[in-house]
Amino acid sequence: MNVSSPQNTPESAALFERARAVTPGGVNSPVRAFAAVGGTPRFIRSARGAYLTDVDGNEYVDLVGSWGPMLLGHAHREVLAAVGEAAAGGTSYGAPTPAEVELAEEIVARTPVEQVRFVSSGTEATMSAIRLARGFTGRDLVVKFAGCYHGHVDSLLASAGSGLATFAVPGTPGVPAASTAATLVLPYNDRSAVEAAFAEHGDQVACLITEAAPGNMGVIAPQPGFNGFLADICARHGALFISDEVMTGFRVTRSGQYGLDGAVEGWRPDLVTFGKVMGGGFPAAAFGGRADVMARLSPEGPVYQAGTLSGNPVAMAAGLATLRLATDDVYATLDKSSARLQEEVSSALTEAGVAHVIGATGNMFGVFFVEDGVTSVPDFAAASRQRVDVFRAFFHAMLEQRVYLPPSAFEAWFLSAAHDDRALDRIVAALPAAARAAGAASDVPAAG
Ligand SMILES: Cc1ncc(COP(=O)(O)O)c(C=O)c1O
């Protein structure tokens, strides 16, 4: 198969060429470059509902949804109206606004946090939450899990050290060793690794941060009780438990992953980070939590944090409109669509003899193209053993049929409430050919 399909994408190809001349790799966030799958990244001209249209006029069913924010689908009429109204009143003041209060109230009403502070990206949210946890506890150590992504914060771009309870090393050039020297990286879903780390370092741990349910190494559900166990071990050692709901927040339930575990089991994270859906497609994110912890934040407390565009009025309007429209009906629709798609993907792959594991938490899911015989993917080591070559074949066969999947095997597939039967039927119709392409690729032994 010709993965670049230049006959369908001359305008995208030309723009990619121009973009590469003026921007590293031609993109403003790496995964958009299609490096993991090869071929020409599609430059998007517009989007509506469940569909994207590229600059060549090809229309795709979108399963990326801007990597999570577009819960209601693209260009939702009421969200656009709220944005238009807000923008007409001026786009930024650098002073408090009513919309910030309303969005904060909506978030506090839906989630376990008592107070929130708005920022402009998920990266800023996790970076600030960690600073606050360190300021609150007077400790430095941060515990995280391999494969959990929390944005490009220096101390969190860390790879595991030589042993489980040893300190991390930088995960990328440009991060000083000193930035990761106070980070411990553990295998996800591994209680004994967490117990060992706390047994050795517990009195120095400021916080443990985890994706509420990982969606950045593919989707991996926490094993039953795992998040509650983390909350408990943090509390026993005087460390804060930070639940990163940037991806899961307001997506898997109206209160995020917390709605599936903490709310049911009766525990709360100390701090939570949010982003994506709560910004309605604009750069808005937040961190929040216990009032006594948040009270340590400037100007009430001594821990400094600020932002020129924090709480931007247009972003607040988009977020507020999105959350108000994210009703129980929306979540019920997403649950149903997701269940149908998971089933259809699995049966098409099974039919074509392609080994796979569906990872899911609530309506958020992804597909691991595993080696034959593998039946579960509990952590990053297992996720890393998947057949990316098989995914690549599947991805391009879907793209040929105008279904736009995340261009990486390690990402969640995002549905929206705008994915109606017509959109879902189009995806389902594309599956058999894509599964056959994956099957052909899986018959070739994995490289290396
Ligand atoms: C769980 C999680 N945390 C944090 C981030 C960083 O957010 P942003 O890309 O807005 O900086 C992401 C982004 O994908 C994420 O998925």
Side-chain angles (χ1 to χ4, degrees), residues 69-424:
M70 309 318 298
L71 185 81
L72 305 174
H74 296 283
H76 190 286
R77 194 171 42 83
E78 288 170 64
V79 177
L80 290 188
V83 165
E85 194 179 324
T91 53
S92 186
Y93 321 120
T97 63
E100 287 162 278
V101 183
E102 286 175 69
L103 184 54
E105 286 170 349
E106 178 76 28
I107 292 174
V108 167
R110 280 176 173 249
T111 71
V113 308
E114 294 173 317
Q115 292 204 327
V116 291
R117 167 68 55 87
F118 291 117
V119 292
S120 301
S121 71
T123 296
E124 250 189 285
T126 58
M127 178 188 79
S128 307
I130 281 174
R131 182 179 309 143
L132 178 58
R134 284 172 160 162
F136 181 82
T137 58
R139 302 171 176 181
D140 287 344
L141 294 195
V142 173
V143 181
K144 79 173 289 282
F145 293 107
C148 278
Y149 177 69
H150 305 286
H152 59 100
V153 180
D154 275 4
S155 63
L156 300 176
L157 287 180
S159 300
S162 53
L164 275 188
T166 58
F167 296 105
V169 294
T172 168
V175 170
S179 294
T180 54
T183 306
L184 283 168
V185 182
L186 306 179
Y188 190 67
N189 267 331
D190 187 337
R191 290 184 187 223
S192 52
V194 176
E195 274 159 359
F198 273 87
E200 196 167 338
H201 303 289
D203 60 349
Q204 303 157 59
V205 176
C207 59
L208 179 150
I209 184 167
T210 182
E211 283 189 62
N216 285 290
M217 47 177 151
V219 178
I220 295 183
Q223 279 167 4
F226 186 63
N227 282 334
F229 158 78
L230 298 176
D232 179 62
I233 199 162
C234 284
R236 280 192 283 116
H237 289 85
L240 299 188
F241 177 47
I242 305 177
S243 180
D244 181 352
E245 294 245 29
V246 167
M247 189 182 283
T248 48
F250 315 110
R251 171 164 285 277
V252 299
T253 71
R254 56 181 289 117
S255 59
Q257 176 69 23
Y258 175 76
L260 298 176
D261 50 32
V264 182
E265 295 159 12
W267 53 266
R268 286 169 175 244
D270 299 299
L271 291 172
V272 187
T273 52
F274 304 106
K276 298 191 188 270
V277 171
M278 60 145 284
F282 281 78
F287 62 103
R290 276 166 45 189
D292 62 324
V293 179
M294 295 301 285
R296 302 296 289 165
L297 206 57
S298 181
E300 207 165 331
V303 178
Y304 190 69
Q305 187 278 330
T308 301
L309 291 177
S310 295
N312 172 270
V314 183
M316 295 294 102
L320 193 57
T322 299
L323 290 193
R324 285 185 176 157
L325 289 161
T327 58
D328 291 342
D329 279 355
V330 161
Y331 293 104
T333 302
L334 279 165
D335 288 351
K336 212 166 128 226
S337 309
S338 174
R340 176 178 174 206
L341 205 50
Q342 288 179 44
E343 210 178 291
E344 298 277 12
V345 170
S346 193
S347 67
L349 291 174
T350 303
E351 177 81 9
V354 179
H356 63 280
V357 168
I358 306 258
T361 183
N363 59 48
M364 202 172 92
F365 77 100
V367 182
F368 294 104
F369 291 82
V370 293
E371 296 279 2
D372 277 341
V374 173
T375 54
S376 76
V377 179
D379 59 19
F380 185 54
S384 302
R385 287 192 289 269
Q386 67 174 315
R387 295 277 308 261
V388 290
D389 53 337
V390 176
F391 170 76
R392 200 176 298 138
F394 183 82
F395 169 86
H396 278 290
M398 293 297 275
L399 195 65
E400 288 286 321
Q401 299 173 87
R402 304 289 183 267
V403 177
Y404 188 83
L405 290 174
S408 158
F410 292 87
E411 305 290 349
W413 301 11
F414 292 105
L415 281 164
S416 79
H419 284 74
D420 55 9
D421 283 343
R422 181 175 151 254
L424 293 173

Side-chain angles (χ1 to χ4, degrees), residues 21-47:
V22 289
T23 301
V27 291
N28 287 301
S29 199
V31 72
R32 297 178 197 171
F34 274 31
V37 289
T40 307
R42 303 315 194 244
F43 281 63
I44 304 304
R45 186 175 65 203
S46 64

